[in-house]
């Protein structure tokens, strides 16, 4: 990130575990402690440094596919790269105790396939600590680069169904930070995503209260409203 932070000739994208966890009520010191959504690039390259930081563990293909469809691919297609360099770490693979995510080989294949269609790709093997699965994950990436399909076939649209609400909020934070620089993101912007979740919670709480106070008189309907 630091190497390209002020260079608008290079689009940098990272998706990773963040520092804060609302569920665990603590911080995770994932090295190097940077990569927040508002790290958008220097004065000469604002919008060219893109980070999605998961605020919780356990993210799977549904969450990564949603990030690809709503953030990475719209930006990358506008940027139109000549070459894509991938730091191919498999910390996010199922069973990795450091990354604590749930990606399967088919998920890596689905993520690599549209990248290979954008520009020539170079994958450099990096992290990943579950030796039982990283070989399969890298093989799936190689299949994607060669244009070979997985059996059964899998694509991002299918994977993205059922995205976790916490991940949706994390993705939306990145969209909000970068929508001023990439018009292709504006269609995915959800300004009131947190308010919507709070509204649903409050509505459910209200239903429970109504059930527990069935003897209370209902409020009169509004008159004259539209």
């Amino acid at each position: 990130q630091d190497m390209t932070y002020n260079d608008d000739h290079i689009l940098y994208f990272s998706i990773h575990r963040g520092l804060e966890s609302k569920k665990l009520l603590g911080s995770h010191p994932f090295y190097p402690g940077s990569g927040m959504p508002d790290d958008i690039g220097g004065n000469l390259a604002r919008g060219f440094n893109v980070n999605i930081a998961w605020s919780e563990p356990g993210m799977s293909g549904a969450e990564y596919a949603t990030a690809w469809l709503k953030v990475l691919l719209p930006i990358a297609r506008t940027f139109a790269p000549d070459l894509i360099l991938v730091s191919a770490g498999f910390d996010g693979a199922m069973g990795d105790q450091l990354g604590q995510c749930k990606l399967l080989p088919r998920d890596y294949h689905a993520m690599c396939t549209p990248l290979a269609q954008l520009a020539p790709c170079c994958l450099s093997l990096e992290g990943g600590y579950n030796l039982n699965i990283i070989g399969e994950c890298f093989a799936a990436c190689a299949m994607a680069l060669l244009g070979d399909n997985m059996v059964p076939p899998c694509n991002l649209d299918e994977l993205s169904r059922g995205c976790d609400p916490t991940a949706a909020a994390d993705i939306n934070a990145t969209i909000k930070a970068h929508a001023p620089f990439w018009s292709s993101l504006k269609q995915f912007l959800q300004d009131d995503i947190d308010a919507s979740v709070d509204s649903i919670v409050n509505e459910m709480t209200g239903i429970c209260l109504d059930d527990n106070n069935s003897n209370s008189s209902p409020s009169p309907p509004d008159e004259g409203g539209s």
Side-chain angles (χ1 to χ4, degrees), residues 191-202:
D191 289 325
D192 299 323
I193 187 166
D194 293 327
S196 297
V197 172
D198 291 340
S199 176
I200 293 172
V201 171
N202 291 335

Side-chain angles (χ1 to χ4, degrees), residues 6-207:
N6 213 34
D7 189 342
D8 64 356
H9 294 91
I10 298 174
L11 174 65
Y12 172 90
F13 176 83
S14 179
I15 182 167
H16 48 263
R17 288 286 303 279
L19 294 176
E20 300 299 326
S21 172
K22 297 175 183 176
K23 293 179 182 177
L24 300 180
L25 301 177
S27 296
H28 297 280
F30 284 98
Y31 180 84
S34 57
M36 294 296 102
D38 54 359
D39 294 337
I40 61 172
N43 290 334
L44 301 179
R46 294 174 66 80
F48 288 85
N49 192 87
V50 185
N51 288 292
I52 294 178
W54 298 135
S55 57
E56 301 296 345
M59 300 307 174
S60 66
E63 290 72 46
Y64 278 80
T66 302
W68 249 237
L69 291 171
K70 293 188 174 182
V71 181
L72 174 59
L73 292 180
I75 293 177
R77 286 168 179 151
T78 302
F79 182 72
D82 296 317
L83 176 67
I84 298 175
L85 304 177
V86 180
S87 179
F90 297 105
D91 310 57
M94 177 74 78
D96 191 293
Q97 295 185 2
L98 180 64
Q100 297 179 324
C101 290
K102 299 179 180 179
L103 291 175
L104 300 173
R106 66 171 192 168
D107 302 325
Y108 285 102
H109 183 277
M111 289 188 286
C112 277
T113 296
L115 299 183
Q117 295 169 349
L118 274 175
C121 292
C122 176
L123 274 64
S124 177
L125 186 61
E126 194 201 335
Y129 306 98
N130 179 5
L131 301 181
N132 295 321
I133 196 172
I134 58 174
E136 296 178 45
C137 293
F138 192 80
C141 292
M143 290 176 63
L145 297 184
L146 292 171
D148 295 336
N149 294 322
M150 293 285 289
V151 179
C154 183
N155 60 54
L156 292 175
D157 289 321
E158 294 174 354
L159 284 177
S160 65
R161 297 169 186 166
C163 178
D164 181 85
T166 300
D170 295 334
I171 293 168
N172 192 58
T174 299
I175 294 174
K176 289 178 69 173
H178 286 274
F181 311 104
W182 303 98
S183 59
S184 56
L185 297 185
K186 293 180 180 178
Q187 61 179 311
F188 303 116
L189 187 60
Q190 301 178 49
D191 289 325
D192 299 323
I193 187 166
D194 293 327
S196 297
V197 172
D198 291 340
S199 176
I200 293 172
V201 171
N202 291 335
E203 183 176 335
M204 293 177 66
T205 303
I207 292 172

